[in-house]
PDB file of all heavy atoms in Angstrom:
ATOM      1  N   CYS A  19      45.106 109.504 192.981  1.00 95.00           N
ATOM      2  CA  CYS A  19      45.730 110.671 193.527  1.00 95.00           C
ATOM      3  C   CYS A  19      47.255 110.593 192.922  1.00 95.00           C
ATOM      4  O   CYS A  19      47.963 109.747 193.424  1.00 95.00           O
ATOM      5  CB  CYS A  19      45.704 110.754 194.947  1.00 95.00           C
ATOM      6  SG  CYS A  19      46.580 112.248 195.694  1.00 95.00           S
ATOM      7  N   LEU A  20      47.548 111.320 191.957  1.00 96.00           N
ATOM      8  CA  LEU A  20      48.862 111.311 191.269  1.00 96.00           C
ATOM      9  C   LEU A  20      49.785 112.350 191.940  1.00 96.00           C
ATOM     10  O   LEU A  20      49.386 113.577 191.984  1.00 96.00           O
ATOM     11  CB  LEU A  20      48.631 111.581 189.774  1.00 96.00           C
ATOM     12  CG  LEU A  20      49.924 111.698 188.954  1.00 96.00           C
ATOM     13  CD1 LEU A  20      50.702 110.424 188.971  1.00 96.00           C
ATOM     14  CD2 LEU A  20      49.702 112.219 187.558  1.00 96.00           C
ATOM     15  N   THR A  21      50.998 112.066 192.197  1.00 97.00           N
ATOM     16  CA  THR A  21      52.046 112.927 192.735  1.00 97.00           C
ATOM     17  C   THR A  21      53.185 112.819 191.784  1.00 97.00           C
ATOM     18  O   THR A  21      53.810 111.770 191.673  1.00 97.00           O
ATOM     19  CB  THR A  21      52.440 112.588 194.149  1.00 97.00           C
ATOM     20  OG1 THR A  21      51.241 112.788 195.073  1.00 97.00           O
ATOM     21  CG2 THR A  21      53.526 113.692 194.634  1.00 97.00           C
ATOM     22  N   CYS A  22      53.548 113.920 191.167  1.00 98.00           N
ATOM     23  CA  CYS A  22      54.697 113.945 190.217  1.00 98.00           C
ATOM     24  C   CYS A  22      55.646 115.066 190.411  1.00 98.00           C
ATOM     25  O   CYS A  22      55.176 116.232 190.885  1.00 98.00           O
ATOM     26  CB  CYS A  22      54.186 114.078 188.821  1.00 98.00           C
ATOM     27  SG  CYS A  22      53.486 112.662 188.011  1.00 98.00           S
ATOM     28  N   ASN A  23      56.853 114.833 190.313  1.00 98.00           N
ATOM     29  CA  ASN A  23      57.878 115.824 190.185  1.00 98.00           C
ATOM     30  C   ASN A  23      57.921 116.474 188.800  1.00 98.00           C
ATOM     31  O   ASN A  23      57.896 115.845 187.877  1.00 98.00           O
ATOM     32  CB  ASN A  23      59.394 115.264 190.584  1.00 98.00           C
ATOM     33  CG  ASN A  23      59.453 114.776 191.889  1.00 98.00           C
ATOM     34  OD1 ASN A  23      58.917 115.317 192.920  1.00 98.00           O
ATOM     35  ND2 ASN A  23      60.371 113.878 192.128  1.00 98.00           N
ATOM     36  N   LEU A  24      57.999 117.795 188.698  1.00 98.00           N
ATOM     37  CA  LEU A  24      58.273 118.506 187.532  1.00 98.00           C
ATOM     38  C   LEU A  24      59.665 119.073 187.519  1.00 98.00           C
ATOM     39  O   LEU A  24      59.990 119.812 188.591  1.00 98.00           O
ATOM     40  CB  LEU A  24      57.238 119.500 187.306  1.00 98.00           C
ATOM     41  CG  LEU A  24      55.732 119.064 187.172  1.00 98.00           C
ATOM     42  CD1 LEU A  24      54.878 120.227 186.829  1.00 98.00           C
ATOM     43  CD2 LEU A  24      55.592 117.999 186.090  1.00 98.00           C
ATOM     44  N   GLY A  25      60.494 118.773 186.609  1.00 97.00           N
ATOM     45  CA  GLY A  25      61.850 119.431 186.617  1.00 97.00           C
ATOM     46  C   GLY A  25      62.634 118.962 185.353  1.00 97.00           C
ATOM     47  O   GLY A  25      62.014 118.273 184.446  1.00 97.00           O
ATOM     48  N   THR A  26      63.867 119.397 185.217  1.00 96.00           N
ATOM     49  CA  THR A  26      64.661 119.130 184.097  1.00 96.00           C
ATOM     50  C   THR A  26      65.448 117.772 184.328  1.00 96.00           C
ATOM     51  O   THR A  26      66.018 117.189 183.377  1.00 96.00           O
ATOM     52  CB  THR A  26      65.674 120.310 183.827  1.00 96.00           C
ATOM     53  OG1 THR A  26      66.514 120.383 184.857  1.00 96.00           O
ATOM     54  CG2 THR A  26      64.894 121.515 183.508  1.00 96.00           C
ATOM     55  N   GLY A  27      65.580 117.314 185.528  1.00 94.00           N
ATOM     56  CA  GLY A  27      66.245 116.181 185.789  1.00 94.00           C
ATOM     57  C   GLY A  27      67.786 116.455 186.023  1.00 94.00           C
ATOM     58  O   GLY A  27      68.589 115.497 186.154  1.00 94.00           O
ATOM     59  N   ARG A  28      68.141 117.716 186.115  1.00 94.00           N
ATOM     60  CA  ARG A  28      69.481 118.037 186.404  1.00 94.00           C
ATOM     61  C   ARG A  28      69.558 119.445 187.164  1.00 94.00           C
ATOM     62  O   ARG A  28      68.496 120.101 187.262  1.00 94.00           O
ATOM     63  CB  ARG A  28      70.301 118.342 185.153  1.00 94.00           C
ATOM     64  CG  ARG A  28      69.773 119.344 184.149  1.00 94.00           C
ATOM     65  CD  ARG A  28      70.705 119.791 183.084  1.00 94.00           C
ATOM     66  NE  ARG A  28      71.857 120.507 183.805  1.00 94.00           N
ATOM     67  CZ  ARG A  28      72.899 121.001 183.218  1.00 94.00           C
ATOM     68  NH1 ARG A  28      72.990 120.966 181.788  1.00 94.00           N
ATOM     69  NH2 ARG A  28      73.814 121.699 183.815  1.00 94.00           N
ATOM     70  N   GLY A  29      70.669 119.784 187.720  1.00 95.00           N
ATOM     71  CA  GLY A  29      70.751 121.046 188.365  1.00 95.00           C
ATOM     72  C   GLY A  29      71.777 121.981 187.698  1.00 95.00           C
ATOM     73  O   GLY A  29      72.644 121.606 187.004  1.00 95.00           O
ATOM     74  N   TYR A  30      71.575 123.285 187.991  1.00 97.00           N
ATOM     75  CA  TYR A  30      72.381 124.353 187.611  1.00 97.00           C
ATOM     76  C   TYR A  30      73.022 125.128 188.778  1.00 97.00           C
ATOM     77  O   TYR A  30      72.284 125.324 189.750  1.00 97.00           O
ATOM     78  CB  TYR A  30      71.742 125.355 186.604  1.00 97.00           C
ATOM     79  CG  TYR A  30      71.154 124.724 185.364  1.00 97.00           C
ATOM     80  CD1 TYR A  30      69.801 124.542 185.255  1.00 97.00           C
ATOM     81  CD2 TYR A  30      71.898 124.540 184.232  1.00 97.00           C
ATOM     82  CE1 TYR A  30      69.240 123.878 184.112  1.00 97.00           C
ATOM     83  CE2 TYR A  30      71.355 124.010 183.118  1.00 97.00           C
ATOM     84  CZ  TYR A  30      70.040 123.707 183.059  1.00 97.00           C
ATOM     85  OH  TYR A  30      69.506 123.127 181.916  1.00 97.00           O
ATOM     86  N   SER A  31      74.358 125.365 188.684  1.00 98.00           N
ATOM     87  CA  SER A  31      74.866 126.156 189.849  1.00 98.00           C
ATOM     88  C   SER A  31      74.498 127.584 189.715  1.00 98.00           C
ATOM     89  O   SER A  31      74.053 128.089 188.690  1.00 98.00           O
ATOM     90  CB  SER A  31      76.447 125.866 189.917  1.00 98.00           C
ATOM     91  OG  SER A  31      77.052 126.733 188.819  1.00 98.00           O
ATOM     92  N   VAL A  32      74.730 128.355 190.821  1.00 98.00           N
ATOM     93  CA  VAL A  32      74.478 129.771 190.839  1.00 98.00           C
ATOM     94  C   VAL A  32      75.361 130.406 189.741  1.00 98.00           C
ATOM     95  O   VAL A  32      74.898 131.347 188.945  1.00 98.00           O
ATOM     96  CB  VAL A  32      74.824 130.397 192.278  1.00 98.00           C
ATOM     97  CG1 VAL A  32      74.595 131.953 192.190  1.00 98.00           C
ATOM     98  CG2 VAL A  32      73.907 129.833 193.257  1.00 98.00           C
ATOM     99  N   LEU A  33      76.581 130.068 189.660  1.00 98.00           N
ATOM    100  CA  LEU A  33      77.444 130.667 188.667  1.00 98.00           C
ATOM    101  C   LEU A  33      76.966 130.300 187.312  1.00 98.00           C
ATOM    102  O   LEU A  33      77.221 131.080 186.330  1.00 98.00           O
ATOM    103  CB  LEU A  33      78.829 130.251 188.933  1.00 98.00           C
ATOM    104  CG  LEU A  33      79.557 130.990 190.150  1.00 98.00           C
ATOM    105  CD1 LEU A  33      81.073 130.558 190.256  1.00 98.00           C
ATOM    106  CD2 LEU A  33      79.472 132.510 190.072  1.00 98.00           C
ATOM    107  N   ASP A  34      76.440 129.028 187.076  1.00 98.00           N
ATOM    108  CA  ASP A  34      75.928 128.698 185.810  1.00 98.00           C
ATOM    109  C   ASP A  34      74.922 129.727 185.294  1.00 98.00           C
ATOM    110  O   ASP A  34      74.823 130.158 184.148  1.00 98.00           O
ATOM    111  CB  ASP A  34      75.279 127.247 185.846  1.00 98.00           C
ATOM    112  CG  ASP A  34      76.256 126.151 185.888  1.00 98.00           C
ATOM    113  OD1 ASP A  34      77.487 126.400 185.433  1.00 98.00           O
ATOM    114  OD2 ASP A  34      75.917 125.044 186.315  1.00 98.00           O
ATOM    115  N   VAL A  35      73.962 130.016 186.295  1.00 98.00           N
ATOM    116  CA  VAL A  35      72.926 130.980 186.006  1.00 98.00           C
ATOM    117  C   VAL A  35      73.379 132.258 185.772  1.00 98.00           C
ATOM    118  O   VAL A  35      73.028 132.990 184.747  1.00 98.00           O
ATOM    119  CB  VAL A  35      71.867 131.028 187.246  1.00 98.00           C
ATOM    120  CG1 VAL A  35      70.781 132.055 186.833  1.00 98.00           C
ATOM    121  CG2 VAL A  35      71.297 129.583 187.401  1.00 98.00           C
ATOM    122  N   VAL A  36      74.417 132.866 186.472  1.00 98.00           N
ATOM    123  CA  VAL A  36      74.984 134.121 186.260  1.00 98.00           C
ATOM    124  C   VAL A  36      75.553 134.191 184.863  1.00 98.00           C
ATOM    125  O   VAL A  36      75.353 135.159 184.117  1.00 98.00           O
ATOM    126  CB  VAL A  36      76.081 134.385 187.333  1.00 98.00           C
ATOM    127  CG1 VAL A  36      76.922 135.594 186.992  1.00 98.00           C
ATOM    128  CG2 VAL A  36      75.566 134.558 188.764  1.00 98.00           C
ATOM    129  N   LYS A  37      76.470 133.198 184.502  1.00 98.00           N
ATOM    130  CA  LYS A  37      77.049 133.238 183.177  1.00 98.00           C
ATOM    131  C   LYS A  37      76.056 133.134 181.986  1.00 98.00           C
ATOM    132  O   LYS A  37      76.147 133.906 181.080  1.00 98.00           O
ATOM    133  CB  LYS A  37      77.967 132.047 183.049  1.00 98.00           C
ATOM    134  CG  LYS A  37      79.218 132.110 183.898  1.00 98.00           C
ATOM    135  CD  LYS A  37      80.044 130.900 184.030  1.00 98.00           C
ATOM    136  CE  LYS A  37      81.226 130.936 185.036  1.00 98.00           C
ATOM    137  NZ  LYS A  37      82.009 129.641 184.971  1.00 98.00           N
ATOM    138  N   ALA A  38      74.956 132.355 182.203  1.00 98.00           N
ATOM    139  CA  ALA A  38      74.010 132.222 181.139  1.00 98.00           C
ATOM    140  C   ALA A  38      73.189 133.634 181.038  1.00 98.00           C
ATOM    141  O   ALA A  38      72.763 134.008 179.991  1.00 98.00           O
ATOM    142  CB  ALA A  38      73.035 131.167 181.447  1.00 98.00           C
ATOM    143  N   PHE A  39      72.936 134.309 182.224  1.00 98.00           N
ATOM    144  CA  PHE A  39      72.199 135.532 182.146  1.00 98.00           C
ATOM    145  C   PHE A  39      73.079 136.656 181.566  1.00 98.00           C
ATOM    146  O   PHE A  39      72.713 137.517 180.844  1.00 98.00           O
ATOM    147  CB  PHE A  39      71.738 135.983 183.555  1.00 98.00           C
ATOM    148  CG  PHE A  39      70.493 136.854 183.496  1.00 98.00           C
ATOM    149  CD1 PHE A  39      69.295 136.221 183.541  1.00 98.00           C
ATOM    150  CD2 PHE A  39      70.604 138.160 183.197  1.00 98.00           C
ATOM    151  CE1 PHE A  39      68.072 137.034 183.603  1.00 98.00           C
ATOM    152  CE2 PHE A  39      69.404 139.004 183.249  1.00 98.00           C
ATOM    153  CZ  PHE A  39      68.286 138.402 183.362  1.00 98.00           C
ATOM    154  N   GLU A  40      74.384 136.597 181.708  1.00 98.00           N
ATOM    155  CA  GLU A  40      75.311 137.549 181.189  1.00 98.00           C
ATOM    156  C   GLU A  40      75.230 137.355 179.593  1.00 98.00           C
ATOM    157  O   GLU A  40      75.206 138.384 178.925  1.00 98.00           O
ATOM    158  CB  GLU A  40      76.611 137.393 181.736  1.00 98.00           C
ATOM    159  CG  GLU A  40      76.836 137.880 183.084  1.00 98.00           C
ATOM    160  CD  GLU A  40      78.311 137.764 183.674  1.00 98.00           C
ATOM    161  OE1 GLU A  40      78.958 136.886 183.167  1.00 98.00           O
ATOM    162  OE2 GLU A  40      78.682 138.555 184.545  1.00 98.00           O
ATOM    163  N   LYS A  41      75.249 136.086 179.195  1.00 98.00           N
ATOM    164  CA  LYS A  41      75.230 135.854 177.823  1.00 98.00           C
ATOM    165  C   LYS A  41      73.845 136.366 177.109  1.00 98.00           C
ATOM    166  O   LYS A  41      73.856 136.990 176.094  1.00 98.00           O
ATOM    167  CB  LYS A  41      75.313 134.375 177.576  1.00 98.00           C
ATOM    168  CG  LYS A  41      75.120 133.867 176.119  1.00 98.00           C
ATOM    169  CD  LYS A  41      75.243 132.405 175.928  1.00 98.00           C
ATOM    170  CE  LYS A  41      74.968 131.929 174.551  1.00 98.00           C
ATOM    171  NZ  LYS A  41      74.937 130.435 174.528  1.00 98.00           N
ATOM    172  N   ALA A  42      72.770 136.131 177.900  1.00 98.00           N
ATOM    173  CA  ALA A  42      71.477 136.613 177.384  1.00 98.00           C
ATOM    174  C   ALA A  42      71.221 138.033 177.349  1.00 98.00           C
ATOM    175  O   ALA A  42      70.674 138.574 176.421  1.00 98.00           O
ATOM    176  CB  ALA A  42      70.385 135.943 178.231  1.00 98.00           C
TER     177      ALA A  42
END
């Protein structure tokens, strides 16, 4: 029975996401 986390290993702030979406 394997239990694993899936993720990037880092976090992004709300404003990080806002700025990246404005760029996209």
Side-chain angles (χ1 to χ4, degrees):
C19 183
L20 174 69
T21 303
C22 282
N23 294 328
L24 300 183
T26 62
R28 59 159 296 178
Y30 300 100
S31 75
V32 176
L33 288 180
D34 286 337
V35 179
V36 169
K37 293 174 183 176
F39 208 96
E40 288 181 332
K41 176 183 176 183

